[in-house]
Amino acid sequence: GNSVTQMEGPVTLSEEAFLTINCTYTATGYPSLFWYVQYPGEGLQLLLKATKADDKGSNKGFEATYRKETTSFHLEKGSVQVSDSAVYFCALSSGGSNYKLTFGKGTLLTVNP
Amino acid sequence: DADVTQTPRNRITKTGKRIMLECSQTKGHDRMYWYRQDPGLGLRLIYYSFDVKDINKGEISDGYSVSRQAQAKFSLSLESAIPNQTALYFCATSAPGFDNEQFFGPGTRLTVL
């Protein structure tokens, strides 16, 4: 079956530090890959996505590249801000029905000024 | 106005009580989902519906039921609430498509005493 493994947190960084949150997956077929972000007290928002191998998703300074050979979709940002403090979820959609999102457990990021 | 709304946003109830969580959407999507979020476990799918006449169990449907009253409305019921159903509940929607991007409501925080 499908599964997503992401870096366990919490992750604490200083403002302007470099961020990497690792995500690897197991899936049948050719999954679409997502990063969702959950700010405190809010629902999940799509941060970025990639639908085929070697695609790079990007948004708000965050990037992730779909690496089929390593089954990975690591999230990166060159310079984090306090406002990036949130929980980040890696997710995939795959399979014949292609209806279901499989989520990782989430990584809490705290950015200090 | 939010595209996906959930009511109530917070609810405290007692063991054995029946409770209904409601979700409405203005995105015009056919597909709707209910998830629960528990700390350290990510999001898990409870039920999903592809249209008004199509309702399916997810990975953790025991103890829950749903009703799809209209394309825009999808309700989750706990017939007899128990404390381990204390969680954050999210509704989500999507349009049919190859990547299954989902759009989430703000969540309902349910506490069962």
Side-chain angles (χ1 to χ4, degrees), chain B residues 7-25:
Chain B
T7 56
R9 293 294 312 278
N10 289 283
R11 181 72 182 265
I12 300 173
T13 192
K14 295 183 178 180
T15 296
K17 294 291 188 181
R18 183 179 188 275
I19 185 166
M20 179 181 288
L21 310 182
E22 298 185 336
C23 176
S24 295
Q25 53 113 348

PDB file of all heavy atoms in Angstrom, chain B residues 7-25:
ATOM      1  N   THR B   7     -19.037  23.494  10.768  1.00  0.00           N
ATOM      2  CA  THR B   7     -19.686  23.896  12.019  1.00  0.00           C
ATOM      3  C   THR B   7     -19.972  22.671  12.861  1.00  0.00           C
ATOM      4  O   THR B   7     -20.296  21.598  12.323  1.00  0.00           O
ATOM      5  CB  THR B   7     -21.020  24.632  11.743  1.00  0.00           C
ATOM      6  OG1 THR B   7     -21.867  23.796  10.937  1.00  0.00           O
ATOM      7  CG2 THR B   7     -20.784  25.949  11.056  1.00  0.00           C
ATOM      8  N   PRO B   8     -19.845  22.783  14.177  1.00  0.00           N
ATOM      9  CA  PRO B   8     -19.254  23.901  14.895  1.00  0.00           C
ATOM     10  C   PRO B   8     -17.738  23.918  14.754  1.00  0.00           C
ATOM     11  O   PRO B   8     -17.157  22.973  14.220  1.00  0.00           O
ATOM     12  CB  PRO B   8     -19.672  23.618  16.343  1.00  0.00           C
ATOM     13  CG  PRO B   8     -19.694  22.127  16.418  1.00  0.00           C
ATOM     14  CD  PRO B   8     -20.211  21.654  15.082  1.00  0.00           C
ATOM     15  N   ARG B   9     -17.081  24.941  15.223  1.00  0.00           N
ATOM     16  CA  ARG B   9     -15.620  24.975  15.219  1.00  0.00           C
ATOM     17  C   ARG B   9     -15.045  24.282  16.450  1.00  0.00           C
ATOM     18  O   ARG B   9     -13.964  23.702  16.398  1.00  0.00           O
ATOM     19  CB  ARG B   9     -15.124  26.415  15.168  1.00  0.00           C
ATOM     20  CG  ARG B   9     -15.445  27.132  13.866  1.00  0.00           C
ATOM     21  CD  ARG B   9     -14.695  26.514  12.670  1.00  0.00           C
ATOM     22  NE  ARG B   9     -13.293  26.323  12.932  1.00  0.00           N
ATOM     23  CZ  ARG B   9     -12.372  27.274  12.821  1.00  0.00           C
ATOM     24  NH1 ARG B   9     -12.726  28.490  12.429  1.00  0.00           N
ATOM     25  NH2 ARG B   9     -11.103  27.005  13.079  1.00  0.00           N
ATOM     26  N   ASN B  10     -15.771  24.339  17.509  1.00  0.00           N
ATOM     27  CA  ASN B  10     -15.378  23.665  18.745  1.00  0.00           C
ATOM     28  C   ASN B  10     -16.597  23.042  19.385  1.00  0.00           C
ATOM     29  O   ASN B  10     -17.686  23.627  19.346  1.00  0.00           O
ATOM     30  CB  ASN B  10     -14.759  24.657  19.740  1.00  0.00           C
ATOM     31  CG  ASN B  10     -13.401  25.133  19.302  1.00  0.00           C
ATOM     32  OD1 ASN B  10     -12.419  24.417  19.441  1.00  0.00           O
ATOM     33  ND2 ASN B  10     -13.339  26.324  18.764  1.00  0.00           N
ATOM     34  N   ARG B  11     -16.400  21.844  19.968  1.00  0.00           N
ATOM     35  CA  ARG B  11     -17.524  21.200  20.632  1.00  0.00           C
ATOM     36  C   ARG B  11     -17.014  20.321  21.751  1.00  0.00           C
ATOM     37  O   ARG B  11     -16.063  19.557  21.563  1.00  0.00           O
ATOM     38  CB  ARG B  11     -18.317  20.355  19.628  1.00  0.00           C
ATOM     39  CG  ARG B  11     -19.539  19.652  20.195  1.00  0.00           C
ATOM     40  CD  ARG B  11     -20.657  20.615  20.497  1.00  0.00           C
ATOM     41  NE  ARG B  11     -21.797  19.930  21.084  1.00  0.00           N
ATOM     42  CZ  ARG B  11     -22.836  19.487  20.391  1.00  0.00           C
ATOM     43  NH1 ARG B  11     -22.876  19.649  19.083  1.00  0.00           N
ATOM     44  NH2 ARG B  11     -23.823  18.883  21.005  1.00  0.00           N
ATOM     45  N   ILE B  12     -17.644  20.463  22.889  1.00  0.00           N
ATOM     46  CA  ILE B  12     -17.364  19.579  24.015  1.00  0.00           C
ATOM     47  C   ILE B  12     -18.634  18.794  24.298  1.00  0.00           C
ATOM     48  O   ILE B  12     -19.707  19.393  24.428  1.00  0.00           O
ATOM     49  CB  ILE B  12     -16.916  20.374  25.252  1.00  0.00           C
ATOM     50  CG1 ILE B  12     -15.647  21.171  24.942  1.00  0.00           C
ATOM     51  CG2 ILE B  12     -16.682  19.438  26.432  1.00  0.00           C
ATOM     52  CD1 ILE B  12     -15.236  22.115  26.056  1.00  0.00           C
ATOM     53  N   THR B  13     -18.518  17.489  24.380  1.00  0.00           N
ATOM     54  CA  THR B  13     -19.677  16.658  24.613  1.00  0.00           C
ATOM     55  C   THR B  13     -19.328  15.559  25.612  1.00  0.00           C
ATOM     56  O   THR B  13     -18.164  15.416  25.999  1.00  0.00           O
ATOM     57  CB  THR B  13     -20.203  16.069  23.297  1.00  0.00           C
ATOM     58  OG1 THR B  13     -21.484  15.485  23.512  1.00  0.00           O
ATOM     59  CG2 THR B  13     -19.262  15.004  22.759  1.00  0.00           C
ATOM     60  N   LYS B  14     -20.316  14.792  25.979  1.00  0.00           N
ATOM     61  CA  LYS B  14     -20.104  13.735  26.956  1.00  0.00           C
ATOM     62  C   LYS B  14     -20.187  12.369  26.300  1.00  0.00           C
ATOM     63  O   LYS B  14     -20.850  12.196  25.268  1.00  0.00           O
ATOM     64  CB  LYS B  14     -21.132  13.844  28.072  1.00  0.00           C
ATOM     65  CG  LYS B  14     -20.989  15.114  28.913  1.00  0.00           C
ATOM     66  CD  LYS B  14     -21.997  15.132  30.048  1.00  0.00           C
ATOM     67  CE  LYS B  14     -21.823  16.375  30.900  1.00  0.00           C
ATOM     68  NZ  LYS B  14     -22.803  16.426  32.012  1.00  0.00           N
ATOM     69  N   THR B  15     -19.567  11.410  26.915  1.00  0.00           N
ATOM     70  CA  THR B  15     -19.610  10.037  26.430  1.00  0.00           C
ATOM     71  C   THR B  15     -21.051   9.578  26.264  1.00  0.00           C
ATOM     72  O   THR B  15     -21.897   9.803  27.138  1.00  0.00           O
ATOM     73  CB  THR B  15     -18.874   9.117  27.415  1.00  0.00           C
ATOM     74  OG1 THR B  15     -17.494   9.493  27.460  1.00  0.00           O
ATOM     75  CG2 THR B  15     -18.958   7.668  26.982  1.00  0.00           C
ATOM     76  N   GLY B  16     -21.308   8.947  25.118  1.00  0.00           N
ATOM     77  CA  GLY B  16     -22.633   8.412  24.844  1.00  0.00           C
ATOM     78  C   GLY B  16     -23.559   9.340  24.082  1.00  0.00           C
ATOM     79  O   GLY B  16     -24.601   8.908  23.569  1.00  0.00           O
ATOM     80  N   LYS B  17     -23.187  10.595  23.972  1.00  0.00           N
ATOM     81  CA  LYS B  17     -24.026  11.547  23.253  1.00  0.00           C
ATOM     82  C   LYS B  17     -23.854  11.396  21.742  1.00  0.00           C
ATOM     83  O   LYS B  17     -22.807  10.991  21.251  1.00  0.00           O
ATOM     84  CB  LYS B  17     -23.672  12.980  23.648  1.00  0.00           C
ATOM     85  CG  LYS B  17     -23.989  13.314  25.104  1.00  0.00           C
ATOM     86  CD  LYS B  17     -25.467  13.359  25.345  1.00  0.00           C
ATOM     87  CE  LYS B  17     -25.769  13.881  26.735  1.00  0.00           C
ATOM     88  NZ  LYS B  17     -27.245  13.914  27.015  1.00  0.00           N
ATOM     89  N   ARG B  18     -24.920  11.735  21.024  1.00  0.00           N
ATOM     90  CA  ARG B  18     -24.859  11.775  19.577  1.00  0.00           C
ATOM     91  C   ARG B  18     -24.462  13.181  19.164  1.00  0.00           C
ATOM     92  O   ARG B  18     -24.972  14.161  19.709  1.00  0.00           O
ATOM     93  CB  ARG B  18     -26.190  11.410  18.962  1.00  0.00           C
ATOM     94  CG  ARG B  18     -26.166  11.359  17.445  1.00  0.00           C
ATOM     95  CD  ARG B  18     -27.533  10.965  16.881  1.00  0.00           C
ATOM     96  NE  ARG B  18     -27.470  10.721  15.437  1.00  0.00           N
ATOM     97  CZ  ARG B  18     -27.579  11.668  14.508  1.00  0.00           C
ATOM     98  NH1 ARG B  18     -27.729  12.918  14.862  1.00  0.00           N
ATOM     99  NH2 ARG B  18     -27.508  11.347  13.225  1.00  0.00           N
ATOM    100  N   ILE B  19     -23.573  13.258  18.195  1.00  0.00           N
ATOM    101  CA  ILE B  19     -23.130  14.565  17.746  1.00  0.00           C
ATOM    102  C   ILE B  19     -22.957  14.564  16.238  1.00  0.00           C
ATOM    103  O   ILE B  19     -22.599  13.547  15.639  1.00  0.00           O
ATOM    104  CB  ILE B  19     -21.825  14.993  18.443  1.00  0.00           C
ATOM    105  CG1 ILE B  19     -21.449  16.412  18.046  1.00  0.00           C
ATOM    106  CG2 ILE B  19     -20.690  14.020  18.153  1.00  0.00           C
ATOM    107  CD1 ILE B  19     -20.397  17.026  18.912  1.00  0.00           C
ATOM    108  N   MET B  20     -23.276  15.694  15.637  1.00  0.00           N
ATOM    109  CA  MET B  20     -23.137  15.837  14.194  1.00  0.00           C
ATOM    110  C   MET B  20     -22.213  17.009  13.886  1.00  0.00           C
ATOM    111  O   MET B  20     -22.376  18.098  14.432  1.00  0.00           O
ATOM    112  CB  MET B  20     -24.488  16.058  13.520  1.00  0.00           C
ATOM    113  CG  MET B  20     -24.384  16.248  12.007  1.00  0.00           C
ATOM    114  SD  MET B  20     -25.977  16.544  11.221  1.00  0.00           S
ATOM    115  CE  MET B  20     -26.723  14.934  11.346  1.00  0.00           C
ATOM    116  N   LEU B  21     -21.276  16.778  12.990  1.00  0.00           N
ATOM    117  CA  LEU B  21     -20.404  17.821  12.473  1.00  0.00           C
ATOM    118  C   LEU B  21     -20.804  18.081  11.025  1.00  0.00           C
ATOM    119  O   LEU B  21     -21.011  17.131  10.260  1.00  0.00           O
ATOM    120  CB  LEU B  21     -18.942  17.386  12.536  1.00  0.00           C
ATOM    121  CG  LEU B  21     -18.435  16.840  13.869  1.00  0.00           C
ATOM    122  CD1 LEU B  21     -16.957  16.511  13.781  1.00  0.00           C
ATOM    123  CD2 LEU B  21     -18.710  17.790  15.003  1.00  0.00           C
ATOM    124  N   GLU B  22     -20.876  19.355  10.675  1.00  0.00           N
ATOM    125  CA  GLU B  22     -21.365  19.691   9.346  1.00  0.00           C
ATOM    126  C   GLU B  22     -20.303  20.365   8.496  1.00  0.00           C
ATOM    127  O   GLU B  22     -19.439  21.091   9.003  1.00  0.00           O
ATOM    128  CB  GLU B  22     -22.599  20.585   9.456  1.00  0.00           C
ATOM    129  CG  GLU B  22     -23.748  19.892  10.181  1.00  0.00           C
ATOM    130  CD  GLU B  22     -25.018  20.701  10.194  1.00  0.00           C
ATOM    131  OE1 GLU B  22     -24.941  21.937  10.062  1.00  0.00           O
ATOM    132  OE2 GLU B  22     -26.100  20.101  10.333  1.00  0.00           O
ATOM    133  N   CYS B  23     -20.388  20.125   7.213  1.00  0.00           N
ATOM    134  CA  CYS B  23     -19.455  20.691   6.254  1.00  0.00           C
ATOM    135  C   CYS B  23     -20.233  21.189   5.045  1.00  0.00           C
ATOM    136  O   CYS B  23     -21.081  20.454   4.517  1.00  0.00           O
ATOM    137  CB  CYS B  23     -18.439  19.640   5.828  1.00  0.00           C
ATOM    138  SG  CYS B  23     -17.293  20.203   4.544  1.00  0.00           S
ATOM    139  N   SER B  24     -19.925  22.398   4.626  1.00  0.00           N
ATOM    140  CA  SER B  24     -20.517  22.965   3.422  1.00  0.00           C
ATOM    141  C   SER B  24     -19.422  23.532   2.541  1.00  0.00           C
ATOM    142  O   SER B  24     -18.403  24.037   3.037  1.00  0.00           O
ATOM    143  CB  SER B  24     -21.492  24.096   3.775  1.00  0.00           C
ATOM    144  OG  SER B  24     -22.588  23.604   4.489  1.00  0.00           O
ATOM    145  N   GLN B  25     -19.647  23.456   1.224  1.00  0.00           N
ATOM    146  CA  GLN B  25     -18.640  23.983   0.311  1.00  0.00           C
ATOM    147  C   GLN B  25     -19.300  24.727  -0.848  1.00  0.00           C
ATOM    148  O   GLN B  25     -20.393  24.397  -1.276  1.00  0.00           O
ATOM    149  CB  GLN B  25     -17.751  22.843  -0.216  1.00  0.00           C
ATOM    150  CG  GLN B  25     -18.522  21.690  -0.826  1.00  0.00           C
ATOM    151  CD  GLN B  25     -18.346  21.516  -2.313  1.00  0.00           C
ATOM    152  OE1 GLN B  25     -17.801  22.399  -2.994  1.00  0.00           O
ATOM    153  NE2 GLN B  25     -18.794  20.384  -2.827  1.00  0.00           N
TER     154      GLN B  25
END
